[in-house]
Structure formats: C-alpha cells, structure tokens
C-alpha cells in the first residue's frame, strides 16, 4: 500500500517496479488511448477491445454495426466512462483509480526488466516488439499440446544405498562398480547437489513435522537435519538427525492415506490380484444384457401386435412374454448394504479437477472449508494394470478422512426417525470427505477397478463415475461424456459398480448432453433413478446410484457460455417427483426393491457450473432445489470461496493473505512429493498450474461498488456490502493492484508465476520448463466434467 505518498517496496526485486501507480503517470500519459496490447487472456483482450472500440475485434466494421457515439475527445470519454452507473456485460467493473490507461502495461504483463521502463510505465521493448509482430500474425489461440516441463534432478544422483545411511556405512551397492550414481557422500553434497533452500526458515517441512525426512541426503533442506560427529582418530562422519517423533522409514508423504505399495502395483501388472466378483458380474451383464434387450424388443412388438386392430390372429402374446422373462437369469449376487452418506447446503463440494485437483490443493481447500473432495479423474484400465501414475491420483490426506460438516435443520432432525427420511440412519462419525472418480468405456474395466479400489483404498467415501469429461481423447475412447449417448451401457456400468463396491456408494457426474440445444440429461437421470425400460421387463430395478451431479453445460460447450441453471432446476424437480412417488408407494406391492436403491432410499442431486461467490451459491441452492453444489473453477481462482460460503459473505483477501496461501501450497507440495530436487520441481510445476487460475482473481477492494443488477440480470443476494456480484465469465480491463504484491499476483505472464514460486522454492532448476496450458494464457479447465 502507499502511505504518505511513498511507494511500497517490491517483495521480489526492490530495484524493479512491478506496476506503475496511476499517480505516477503524467496527465498526458494517463489519458492516452490504449495502443499496446500485450499477450494475455484472450477474453481479457476481447473485453479491452469492447471497452476501447465498441467492437469485438477492434478493426473496421460495416457502418451498420458500429456503435453510434457522440463525438468527444478521448480525454472526455475516459473521464465520463467511470461516472456512468452502468455495468458493461462481460467486463469486470473496476474503480477508476485502479485502471491503467495510456501506455502502461496491461494487467498481467510481465514486470519490466529495465528500471527506466518500469518508472515510465513502459513494457520491455523486446517483448513489446514481439507482441507487435504477434498482433500482425493474429493472437495465438488454442491449447499447447505435448507440453515439456523439462527436468528437475541432480546432474549425478546419490546412490539409493547411501540416501539414508551415515557417511561410513558398511552397506554396499548391489550394482557394485557398475552403478552410475555417486557413492561419495561429501562429493555429492559438494558438486552434484544444489545449494540448500533458505525458505521456510531453512528447516525441512517434513522433518519439522514428522521428525524424519524420507528423502534423506537428497533433501534441499538437509542442513537442518544433518550433523558431523567425531568417530575417533581425527575423523568426522556425516549423519542424519532424527528425533523421538520419527515416523518409521518415512517412505510415504506426511499424513498420506490410500497409499498402494509397489508390490501391489507389480501384482496388478502381472495379474496376480484376482477380481472374482467383477469377473462374474461382468459375464452376467454380457450374457443377460443381450437377453434383456431382446426381451424388451419382443415385448414392444407383442404389445403393438395386440393393439393392432388389423391383427387377424388375435392371439394372446402373454405366453411369449412369460417365455422371454423365463430366459432371464437373476444376477449372481446382489449389492451389499451401502454406507449412508449426506449432501446438504452446508457441504459445498470440491469438484474432481484434472491436474489442478491434486492432493496439496485439496488439502488447502479443506483448510479453507471444503467439506467434500474428489480425486483427479483416474482411468480404469491403467488402474487395473497397476500404473504408478494413475494410482498416485487416489492418494488422500488424513484431513480428508475426517467427517464433513453436518447441520441438520430442525425439521430434518425431527424427521430423522422416519425411515423415509434421507437422514435416517446417517452416522456422521462414520462418514469422511474424500471420494475417488474413475472413467471407463466398458463395464469390465470399470467393475475390476471398483473391486480393486475397495480392496486397496480403505479411505473412500464414494466412487464416482465420470460421464462428463469433454476431452477429445477421452471421448473418442468411449469414456467420459461419450457415455451420455449410450444410456444402456452407462446403466450396466453403474449397476455393476454398485454390485461389487461393497459398502462404498456409487455416484455419477454427467453433463446436459453432448450437443448444444439437445439436452438428454433428464432421460438419463430418469434411467439412473428408476431403471431403464428394458430392465423393467424383467423387474431388474434401478441401478442403485446414490447421487447424481449435473454440470449445466453440454460437451460441445465445454466451459464456454453460462451454465444453464434453469435446466439443472428442472432435473432437480424430476428427482424430487421421484422421491414423492416413492414415498406414496411405500409399504405397497409396488414399492421398489430396497436392495436396488441407495442406502437411504434417497438419490441426492447436485448442481455444478459458474458458482463464484457466496451469493451465487445461496441463490442457486434456493432457485434450483439441488441438495448441494459442486465447485470447480471458482475454487481454483479463490480457494477461500468455501470460507465465504460458510460465513455467508464475500471476503476481501489482502495480497499478503493470498501469498500465505501460496506458501501453504508450497509446503503441502513438499510434504506430498518430497523435498529433494525432483519433489521441488514437481511442487513448482503444479503450483504454476494453480497460479494459471489464481491470477484471474480481481480483488474485491478495487471493484466498483454497486447494489444494482449483475451482468446476469439478477440482484446480488450475498453482497450487502455493495460489491458487484463477481462472474466467472467477466474479464477485467487493464488494472493495477493496491500494492506491488497485489499487482504481481494478478499477472498473466507465466514468468511472473515462476517468480512467485521462487519466493518459496528457490530458483528454478536450469532444466525446468513451464509452458502455459493455453497459448493465450487463458487456461480453461479440462476433464472436470
């Protein structure tokens, strides 16, 4: 912040000014038209062009499409714009004093590398020239495929036989002289290992917490847990320090659950782990599935024949109907009784997020109030084959094994003694937060993966089937959103998973459909809740799904346009009508078989899409009637969204608070992936992936106060302080923060993200590389469903 006219110092490099303050610009400079548009978010660029030219491309348009404006000077138009009590659709309203005009850098441009340019608010000339060239060629669009993150490892590593051993250990390397790694400990520390980090007070986070660092001498903080001891004859030996709180061999991360041993993965690869239940049920699905479909079509033909007035035979087809049912055989076994779960307004859910939804980020969100979490999407076949990278996605932190918040209302608590109540029999003490999400294109791998998960991962709340992933590679394989067009196959997969999952409930995440303006979710939900018409022929019942989450977009939309919450509301009403009908049929001959229903007899229904504020969360709950809401990009941009929902009001987080969250993420990353060179590099890579979303946050304190309608036309319900309702689809014009750090955290240049990571992880390894996911730096989440 600025006090007494003095400028706050830069926390990164004091000699560089990260963002010129508006007061430092001359009157002429501050009111010059925007002439330089540097690389950044493509949507931001579009918003800038709308703001500057009244057109989406900034170029010449036919006169019929040009905005009709009163002729005025550029100075007058810029002075009058903030005074208008209107909010431009798609543009974040920012206070005039935080807007950067003239030749100042765009919000998100990299910090100037030359002090003179920084003082004058100018960009790096070389980068400016590059951008001018890029403007001629057109703005880079699309996704960066085959991203290369380089390498973060020692030039010559330390032999594993020496990693935890004292300097004079008698242990011998089993590879002898043929070993390619270093065995001389002092030489390794002196020549091959990079210098120790001085962040976190120079103390290894793992050693500080658990008493022993599992990477031993490779730790970038090894100086904090090593010493020299005198062994006589004038010799001193390097040894690692431990304390009484040591956690054994420290082979796994701190507080990590669902860790699958290397031997178990090898057994999976060599098919030594049997899946008898999955094999038997898959075989039954294959043989009887065809018979069920044939019976269904024969019944339809028989019914149409009986209804045909020109049918001269007039024969009764009931004998054929009974005969078709006789060909059907019962399932080899029925599902086990499931653990009762609960979704409610007080349990906002962190969505499964590929790449960004890793363990450190989920842990951070749990700290900030997330009640339910999901793993990143794991593919079924690689799980069955024991692939290490896929099983790593299913690890959880011990904080995710704690029970979620449960605050039943007075009405629900009085009804909890009723068997028909979804709260009946729910034991919050037995519940936990973490669920796994898998994707599959056929019943067999889905069932095998489910049976193996229940055996090797004891800390799972639910197993969720992804039916919403829009990625082309997943879709072409028949997984993800491809299942939306194959309801019969989806029914088989969910039914089989429910049969082999033991006490773990099965849930499903879907989209509205695969194509715009052709939603199919209502029919799909009806099938999942009731059971398909083909299963009704043989009284096979429902699939047994415990919860359904609907993302209010089609696959074709991906993450563009607004989520359709009106359609989510209509689907929620459909589920409620089913519950009401089930209550009426209770204790009658038409009551559904309890063995094919969720444990509570109640299918929870959740919504997902574009929730970015506590006001939007409460409004969506009230208007749609969903049980709870799943948060994705909103949580990535500001993880404290869960905290805001719990408090019921927005929070204006300072730059120092936000930087503290970055520090916490870095610490959690080191505890998860290790504090050696590779662990630091992995932590840095995923920290940068998160910052590719977090930089999009616009601080509430610099937004224009407004109590009027939002860009969506609805009045903000949670913003009594006068802040405008934020929107995920809005993009800001050029702005600077209230201090240098706030401006840095809002930078769209990935090189600034690397600088932020270096505050806690030291200088990046010379071999480390980071390529933003999207060429425009406007990263849109994938595989979230």
């Amino acid at each position: 912040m600025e006090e007494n006219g003095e400028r706050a110092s830069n926390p990164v490099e004091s000699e560089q000014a990260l963002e010129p303050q508006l007061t430092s610009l001359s009157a002429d400079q501050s009111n010059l038209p925007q002439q330089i548009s540097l690389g950044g978010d493509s949507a931001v660029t579009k918003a800038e062009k709308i703001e500057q030219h009244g057109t989406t491309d900034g170029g010449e348009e036919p006169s019929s499409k040009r905005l009709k404006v009163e002729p005025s000077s550029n100075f007058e138009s810029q002075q009058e714009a903030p005074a208008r009590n209107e909010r431009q659709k798609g543009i974040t309203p920012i206070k005039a004093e935080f807007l950067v005009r003239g030749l100042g850098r765009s919000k998100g441009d990299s910090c100037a590398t030359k002090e003179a340019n920084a003082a004058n608010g100018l960009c790096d000339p070389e980068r400016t020239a590059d951008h001018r060239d890029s403007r001629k060629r057109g703005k880079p669009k699309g996704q960066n495929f085959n991203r290369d993150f380089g390498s973060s490892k020692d030039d010559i590593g330390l032999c594993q036989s020496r990693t935890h051993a004292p300097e004079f250990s008698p242990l011998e390397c089993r590879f002898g002289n043929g070993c390619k790694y270093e065995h001389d400990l002092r030489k390794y520390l002196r020549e091959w290992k990079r210098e120790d980090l001085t962040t976190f007070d120079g103390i290894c986070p793992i050693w500080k917490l658990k008493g022993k660092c599992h990477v031993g001498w490779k730790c970038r903080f090894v100086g904090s847990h090593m010493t020299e001891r005198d062994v006589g004859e004038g010799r001193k030996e390097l040894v690692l320090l431990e304390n009484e709180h040591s956690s054994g061999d420290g082979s796994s991360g701190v507080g990590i659950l669902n860790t699958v041993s290397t031997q178990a993965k090898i057994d999976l690869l060599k098919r030594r782990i049997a899946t008898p239940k999955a094999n038997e049920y898959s075989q039954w699905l294959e043989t009887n599935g065809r018979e069920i479909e044939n019976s269904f079509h024969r019944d339809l033909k028989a019914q149409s024949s009986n209804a045909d007035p020109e049918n001269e035979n007039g024969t009764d087809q009931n004998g054929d109907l009974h005969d078709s049912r006789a060909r059907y055989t019962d399932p080899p076994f029925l599902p086990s009784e499931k653990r009762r779960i609960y979704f409610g307004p007080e349990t906002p859910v962190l969505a499964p997020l590929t790449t960004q939804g890793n363990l450190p980020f989920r842990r951070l969100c749990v700290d900030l109030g997330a009640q339910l979490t999901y793993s990143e999407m794991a593919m079924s076949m690689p799980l069955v084959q024991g692939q290490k990278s896929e099983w790593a996605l299913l690890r959880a932190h011990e904080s995710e094994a704690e029970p979620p918040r449960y605050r039943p209302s007075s009405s629900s608590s009085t009804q909890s003694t009723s068997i028909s109540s979804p709260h009946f029999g729910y034991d919050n003490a037995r519940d936990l937060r973490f669920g796994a999400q898998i994707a599959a294109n056929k019943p067999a791998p889905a069932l095998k993966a489910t049976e193996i998960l229940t055996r090797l991962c004891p800390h799972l709340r639910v197993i969720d089937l992804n039916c919403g992933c829009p990625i082309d590679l997943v879709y072409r394989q028949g997984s993800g959103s491809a299942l939306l067009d194959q309801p019969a196959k989806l029914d088989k997969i969910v039914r089989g998973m429910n049969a082999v999952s033991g006490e773990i409930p099965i849930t499903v995440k879907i989209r509205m459909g695969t194509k715009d303006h052709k939603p199919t979710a209502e029919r799909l939900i009806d099938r999942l809740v009731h059971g398909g018409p083909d299963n009704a022929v043989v009284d096979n019942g429902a699939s047994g799904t415990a919860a359904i989450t609907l993302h209010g977009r089609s696959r074709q939309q991906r993450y563009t346009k607004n989520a359709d919450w009106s359609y989510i509301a209509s689907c929620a009403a459909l589920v409620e009508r089913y519950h009401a009908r089930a209550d009426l049929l209770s204790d009658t001959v038409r009551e559904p078989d309890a063995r094919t229903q969720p444990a509570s007899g109640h299918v929870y229904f959740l919504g997902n899409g574009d929730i970015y504020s506590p006001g939007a969360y409460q409004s969506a709950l009230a208007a749609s009637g969903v049980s709870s809401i799943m948060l994705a990009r909103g949580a990535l941009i500001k993880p404290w969204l869960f905290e805001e929902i719990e408090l019921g009001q927005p929070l204006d987080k300072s730059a120092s608070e936000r930087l503290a969250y970055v520090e916490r993420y870095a610490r959690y990353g080191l505890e998860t992936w290790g504090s050696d060179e590779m662990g630091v590099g992995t932590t840095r890579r995923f920290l940068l992936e998160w910052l590719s979303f977090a930089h999009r946050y616009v601080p509430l304190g610099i937004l224009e106060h407004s109590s009027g309608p939002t860009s969506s036309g609805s009045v903000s319900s949670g913003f009594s302080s006068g802040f405008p309702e934020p929107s995920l689809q809005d993009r800001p014009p050029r702005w600077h923060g209230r201090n240098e750090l706030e401006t840095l955290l809002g930078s769209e240049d990935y090189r600034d993200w690397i600088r932020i990571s270096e505050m806690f992880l030291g200088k990046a390894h010379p071999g480390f590389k980071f390529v933003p996911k999207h060429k425009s730096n406007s990263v849109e989440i994938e595989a979230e469903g």
Side-chain angles (χ1 to χ4, degrees):
M1 299 292 290
E2 292 185 347
E3 296 181 3
N4 301 325
E6 296 183 359
R7 191 190 187 101
S9 61
N10 187 339
V12 185
E13 295 180 7
S14 58
E15 70 274 13
Q16 293 186 7
L18 301 181
E19 185 69 21
Q21 301 294 326
L22 192 62
T23 55
S24 65
L25 298 175
S26 66
D28 294 336
Q29 287 177 318
S30 62
N31 294 290
L32 286 175
Q34 300 284 357
Q35 297 178 2
I36 299 177
S37 175
L38 294 183
D41 195 325
S42 59
V44 175
T45 304
K46 182 177 179 180
E48 292 171 1
K49 291 178 180 178
I50 293 174
E51 183 183 42
Q52 297 167 27
H53 307 288
T55 173
T56 58
D57 60 8
E60 291 296 327
E61 289 191 357
S63 58
S64 60
K65 294 185 177 181
R66 295 177 186 169
L67 291 178
K68 296 182 180 180
V69 296
E70 293 296 329
S72 61
S73 67
N74 188 55
F75 177 84
E76 292 173 343
S77 63
Q78 290 188 357
Q79 293 298 316
E80 292 173 358
R84 292 195 303 258
N85 190 22
E86 299 177 0
R87 177 169 177 179
Q88 290 180 278
K89 184 176 181 181
I91 297 180
T92 305
I94 295 179
K95 294 178 181 178
E97 59 265 32
F98 296 103
L99 293 174
V100 178
R101 301 188 177 94
L103 297 179
R105 293 186 309 279
S106 166
K107 174 259 182 189
D109 291 338
S110 175
C111 304
T113 57
K114 296 184 179 181
E115 185 174 357
N117 287 345
N120 291 294
L122 298 176
C123 307
D124 185 348
E126 296 179 1
R127 296 181 55 196
T128 302
D130 292 341
H131 178 73
R132 287 170 177 166
D133 292 339
S134 67
R135 287 202 301 171
K136 296 177 182 178
R137 297 189 301 267
K139 185 172 180 62
K141 295 182 179 180
Q143 184 173 335
N144 286 312
F145 296 97
N146 301 320
R147 300 163 70 198
D148 180 15
F149 299 102
S151 174
S152 296
K153 61 181 181 181
D154 299 322
D155 293 337
I156 296 181
L158 183 66
C159 179
Q160 192 64 28
S161 65
R162 297 290 183 266
T163 300
H164 301 94
E167 182 181 7
F168 301 147
S169 171
L171 293 176
E172 295 184 1
C173 174
R174 62 191 182 98
F175 296 102
N177 295 330
C179 182
K180 63 180 181 180
Y181 295 104
E182 184 62 67
H183 294 79
D184 186 333
L185 180 58
R186 290 185 184 268
K187 183 178 180 180
Y188 167 76
L189 295 176
R190 182 177 62 253
E191 298 182 10
W192 308 125
K193 179 181 173 296
R194 296 182 70 199
E195 69 281 359
D196 274 8
L197 296 175
T198 58
T199 55
F200 303 107
D201 298 324
I203 301 176
C204 174
I206 303 174
W207 183 84
K208 181 179 180 180
L209 184 64
K210 302 295 288 186
K212 183 175 182 178
C213 178
H214 64 273
V215 296
W217 295 107
K218 299 178 183 179
C219 178
R220 291 290 305 276
F221 302 89
V222 69
S224 63
H225 51 80
M226 63 169 280
T227 188
E228 277 187 323
R229 65 181 180 186
D230 192 352
V231 294
E233 300 181 358
R235 295 200 307 168
K236 292 186 177 181
E237 180 184 30
L238 293 174
V239 295
L240 294 171
L241 298 176
E242 298 181 15
N243 60 32
E244 58 185 9
H245 302 293
S246 175
S247 58
D249 60 4
S251 58
S252 62
V254 177
I256 306 300
L257 307 175
N258 294 337
T259 300
V260 179
S261 66
T262 302
Q263 185 58 49
K265 297 169 190 172
I266 294 175
D267 291 341
L268 285 171
L269 178 62
K270 297 186 176 182
R271 301 183 181 181
R272 294 172 183 165
I273 296 181
T275 54
K277 296 172 68 175
N279 294 339
E280 187 177 6
Y281 207 92
S282 296
Q283 182 64 33
W284 176 82
L285 284 174
E286 184 177 353
T287 56
N288 283 271
R290 290 193 297 267
E291 184 58 40
I292 290 175
E293 292 176 4
N294 293 336
S295 299
F296 175 64
H297 292 298
R298 280 196 300 267
D299 287 0
L300 287 179
K301 183 177 180 181
Q303 293 172 6
S304 62
S305 178
N306 286 334
D308 188 357
E310 298 182 0
N311 182 15
E312 298 178 355
N313 296 330
T315 56
D316 185 8
Q317 302 291 331
N318 288 333
D320 292 339
L321 296 178
H322 291 301
D323 182 61
S324 65
R325 291 188 178 96
R327 296 191 186 98
Y328 169 77
T329 59
D330 290 331
F333 50 87
L334 293 174
S336 303
E337 183 177 359
K338 306 299 180 184
R339 182 194 308 118
R340 291 178 181 259
I341 57 176
Y342 170 76
F343 291 94
E346 71 274 25
T347 60
V349 185
L350 177 64
L353 306 166
T354 293
T355 303
Q356 287 86 2
N358 46 62
L359 191 150
F361 180 75
R362 299 198 311 268
R363 187 177 171 187
L364 175 63
C365 289
V366 169
D367 290 349
L368 296 174
Q371 297 303 306
L372 303 172
T373 63
Y374 284 89
S375 72
E376 301 176 59
M377 182 185 69
M379 303 302 294
S380 295
M381 187 55 70
L383 288 175
V384 174
Q385 295 171 343
Q387 288 190 14
K388 179 180 178 181
S389 58
E390 215 70 17
W391 279 101
L393 303 177
L394 301 174
R395 297 191 300 170
H397 187 257
E398 57 189 6
S399 62
E400 297 178 277
E402 298 176 358
R405 185 187 303 118
Y406 178 56
R407 297 173 183 168
S409 62
S410 57
S411 59
S412 62
S413 61
T414 57
Q415 296 173 359
S416 60
T417 56
S418 171
I419 296 179
S420 61
S421 170
H423 304 276
F424 178 78
Y426 173 67
D427 185 1
N428 181 251
R430 289 191 62 207
D431 204 355
L432 61 160
R433 303 174 188 242
F434 178 70
Q437 187 187 66
I438 64 174
N441 59 357
K442 295 179 181 178
L447 269 61
K448 290 183 179 181
T450 301
E451 184 175 358
I452 294 170
L453 279 172
T454 58
R455 188 182 310 173
L456 300 182
C457 297
H459 299 92
L460 290 179
R461 183 181 198 253
V462 298
I463 298 177
D464 185 78
L465 178 66
N466 183 305
C467 303
C469 176
I471 294 179
D472 292 338
L473 178 62
V474 177
Y475 180 80
R476 287 195 296 265
Q477 292 176 350
S479 303
S481 56
L483 292 174
L484 299 176
D485 292 332
Q486 304 179 69
K489 179 190 288 188
L490 174 59
D491 182 86
K492 291 179 183 179
I493 293 176
V494 176
R495 190 180 300 275
M497 290 174 62
N498 191 57
V500 303
S501 64
E503 68 168 5
I504 301 177
I506 301 299
T507 62
V508 180
K509 190 169 189 290
I510 63 176
R511 281 180 176 247
M512 291 171 53
T514 55
K515 297 181 180 179
D516 287 349
H517 312 300
K518 294 183 179 180
T520 59
E522 286 184 325
R523 286 182 295 170
L524 200 60
I525 292 170
D526 184 72
R527 186 182 188 102
L528 290 172
V529 173
H530 292 96
D534 46 356
N535 286 285
V537 173
V538 292
D539 297 326
N540 207 17
S543 61
T545 180
I548 301 172
T549 301
L550 174 61
H551 184 175
R553 290 184 175 90
S554 66
R555 176 188 179 266
Q556 188 176 350
Q557 281 181 263
R558 300 242 175 171
Y559 306 94
T560 60
K561 303 180 183 179
N562 292 322
D564 190 345
W565 276 90
S566 62
Y567 187 80
I568 294 176
S570 66
C571 292
L574 174 67
V575 175
E576 283 304 313
R577 289 196 296 270
Y578 166 76
H579 293 155
R581 186 163 65 249
D583 290 342
L584 292 176
L585 297 178
S586 180
D587 297 328
T588 68
V589 293
R590 298 179 59 192
E591 180 180 10
D593 189 343
R595 294 172 297 182
T596 65
Q597 302 296 309
S600 63
H602 181 97
V603 178
Y604 290 98
F605 187 75
L606 290 76
N608 172 224
D610 294 348
I611 302 301
Y612 186 51
S613 67
Y617 181 87
Q618 296 299 335
S619 297
L621 278 176
S624 65
V626 296
S627 304
S628 187
I629 293 178
M630 188 173 281
L631 309 175
R633 288 181 297 169
L636 285 171
I637 295 173
K638 55 173 187 178
W640 59 92
L641 176 58
F642 298 99
E643 185 181 0
E644 291 181 334
I645 291 173
E646 182 177 359
L647 297 175
Q649 63 182 15
L651 300 174
D652 185 12
K653 295 286 185 177
S654 67
S656 58
E657 289 178 291
R658 292 164 58 198
L659 189 66
Y661 295 149
V662 176
E663 179 184 16
R664 193 185 305 184
Y665 184 104
R667 180 185 293 108
Y668 290 167
L670 295 175
E671 293 176 0
T672 302
W673 294 302
S675 54
D676 60 344
E677 190 63 53
M678 291 187 65
V680 171
T682 303
T683 300
R684 190 189 310 276
R685 181 255 164 129
F686 286 106
L687 173 60
L688 296 176
E689 298 281 11
W690 173 42
L691 291 177
S692 70
F693 279 89
H695 82 272
R696 290 173 54 180
Y697 173 72
V698 180
L700 290 181
I702 73 171
L703 296 180
E704 281 283 5
H705 289 212
S706 172
S707 58
T710 67
S711 60
S712 60
S714 60
V715 178
S716 172
S717 59
F719 285 73
S720 58
S721 59
F723 289 119
E725 183 91 14
S727 171
L728 276 173
Q729 309 296 42
D730 289 351
R731 293 295 184 267
R734 297 168 179 248
W735 62 272
H736 65 81
R738 292 165 289 188
N739 53 49
E740 301 281 357
L741 180 58
E742 193 165 72
T743 304
L744 176 65
L745 290 172
S747 173
E748 293 173 347
D749 193 315
Y750 73 93
R751 286 168 287 191
D752 284 335
W753 308 343
I754 294 177
R755 294 183 63 202
I756 294 172
S757 74
E758 290 176 345
M759 295 181 185
F760 309 106
L761 302 175
K763 294 292 293 183
H765 190 279
F768 176 81
K769 299 177 183 178
F770 181 78
V771 180
K773 192 172 185 180
H774 279 235
K775 297 176 182 178
S776 65
N777 288 354
S778 176
V779 185
E780 292 297 337
I781 184 171
E782 299 282 359
E784 169 260 316

